[in-house]
């Protein structure tokens, strides 16, 4: 789905960097999983993947794309049933369609999303779907809603006119998970807490928020769909219907705390290696991050890769070399921790 910091486009770069450095395939903790794109790619390469994030919507993706190993043959039929339900006026209609004064979804799509989400909740309650099918279908509802959301990509605001995508019909299109190594786990947890829980792993992949945006505020609508509702549903406020309460808010979005949080995470993890994604528009200057990583590395060595945002060109460099700092550079650092 459309998600700030989604690494889908950078997967070849990340996989190539891992290959170049010769880190042996084993267990990995994708600590800031988001859309689960990286964990999913590593799963397909034979890694045993554990993942974590503060958002329930991310947890849903982790369960659907990483933990689930297969889907029952009935999954497509169930998805078609959800897509074909008559619209219902539920929480999304009341708060995120013109009926609620917010133009996130057309009345018809809002009603279809309501119907699909509410029906899926009753299927789970009745035991008509198992956990894997539930998460696969819920991920498909969130992604289907995102395809027809009347936004410019994030949910921080809605467009004042219906965009062409928002007029298309909402559909539930599940992705069948590919089988991977046994023992994958997903965690609705802070990265450091999950690292402590997981103990020894071969690799931790660290892709934290880059700036002061709170993901829960930019993606409150997918989060609400993930959480579901009964009766009144969650409290929402303001022009765009943000979730009231602190749940899902991250300390990593406070610039001054990031250095301390990085050090805390690196001492919490028992990973053998750490692979860190960082964006040059982030809170920390690349040089400051590199220094911090150098101190955490067992041999003081930081392997640094960069790639332009839209170009698929990778350079591998050793620590200490000079760079022309391009605003559109994605950085990857690899260190050995043990
Ligand atoms: C840059 S995005 C990760 C993108 C991800 N690699 C992908 O490809 O979709 C950062 C993620 O960190 C999550 N996050 C923020 N604070 C966190 C914390 N303390 N622990 C775990 N995850 C956190 C956010 O919810 C967001 O999903």
């Amino acid at each position: 789905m459309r998600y700030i910091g989604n690494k889908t486009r950078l997967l070849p770069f990340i996989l190539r960097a891992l290959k170049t450095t010769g880190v042996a395939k084993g267990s990995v903790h994708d600590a800031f999983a988001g859309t689960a794109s990286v964990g999913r790619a590593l799963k397909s390469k034979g890694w045993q993947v554990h993942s974590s994030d503060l958002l329930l919507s991310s947890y849903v993706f982790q369960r659907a794309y990483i933990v689930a190993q297969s889907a029952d043959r009935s999954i497509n039929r169930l998805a078609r049933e959800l897509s074909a339900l008559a619209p219902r006026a539920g929480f999304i209609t009341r708060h995120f369609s013109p009926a609620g004064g917010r133009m996130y979804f057309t009345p018809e799509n809002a009603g279809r999303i309501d119907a699909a989400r509410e029906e899926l909740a009753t299927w789970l309650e009745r035991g008509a779907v198992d956990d894997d099918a539930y998460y696969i279908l819920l991920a498909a509802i969130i992604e289907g809603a995102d395809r027809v959301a009347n936004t410019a990509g994030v949910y921080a605001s809605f467009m004042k006119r219906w965009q062409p995508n928002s007029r298309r019909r909402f559909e539930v299109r599940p992705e069948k998970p590919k089988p991977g190594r046994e023992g994958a786990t997903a965690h609705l947890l802070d990265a450091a807490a999950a690292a402590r829980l997981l103990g020894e792993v071969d690799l931790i992949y660290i892709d934290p928020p880059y700036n002061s945006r709170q993901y829960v505020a930019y993606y409150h609508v997918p989060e609400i769909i993930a959480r579901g509702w009964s009766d009144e549903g969650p409290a929402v406020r303001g022009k765009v219907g943000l979730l009231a309460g602190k749940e899902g808010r991250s300390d990593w979005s406070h610039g001054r705390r990031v250095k301390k949080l990085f050090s805390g995470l690196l001492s919490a993890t028992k990973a053998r290696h750490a692979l860190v994604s960082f964006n040059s528009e982030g809170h920390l200057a690349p040089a400051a991050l590199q220094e911090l990583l150098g101190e955490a590395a067992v041999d003081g060595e930081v392997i640094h890769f960069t790639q332009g945002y839209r170009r698929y060109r990778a350079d591998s460099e050793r620590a200490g070399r000079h760079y022309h700092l391009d605003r559109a550079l994605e950085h990857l650092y690899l260190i050995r921790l043990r």
Side-chain angles (χ1 to χ4, degrees), residues 3 5-7 31-35 37 53-54 190-191 207 209 215 250 252:
Y3 199 73
N6 182 342
K7 293 294 175 291
F32 300 83
T35 60
S37 68
D53 200 287
L54 292 179
D190 163 64
D207 184 20
Y215 275 78
S250 173
W252 287 76

Side-chain angles (χ1 to χ4, degrees), residues 194-272:
R196 264 181 234 110
L197 189 83
L198 289 168
E200 289 187 14
V201 287
D202 294 296
L203 178 72
I204 181 169
Y205 174 59
I206 303 178
D207 184 20
Y210 297 122
N211 50 40
S212 49
R213 290 185 198 112
Q214 284 288 349
Y215 275 78
V216 70
Y218 269 63
Y219 298 97
H220 60 298
V221 178
E223 193 63 9
I224 288 169
I225 298 175
R227 289 185 195 178
W229 49 85
S230 52
D231 306 325
E232 283 303 291
V236 294
R237 60 177 168 78
K239 195 165 171 228
V240 301
L242 290 179
L243 276 165
K246 290 213 153 53
E247 222 172 310
R249 297 187 76 81
S250 173
D251 277 352
W252 287 76
S253 296
H254 298 286
R256 269 171 294 146
R257 299 189 201 153
V258 168
K259 228 168 153 177
K260 215 166 156 197
L261 288 165
F262 246 114
S263 306
L265 176 57
L266 291 171
S267 50
T269 181
K270 290 213 173 81
R272 224 176 294 281

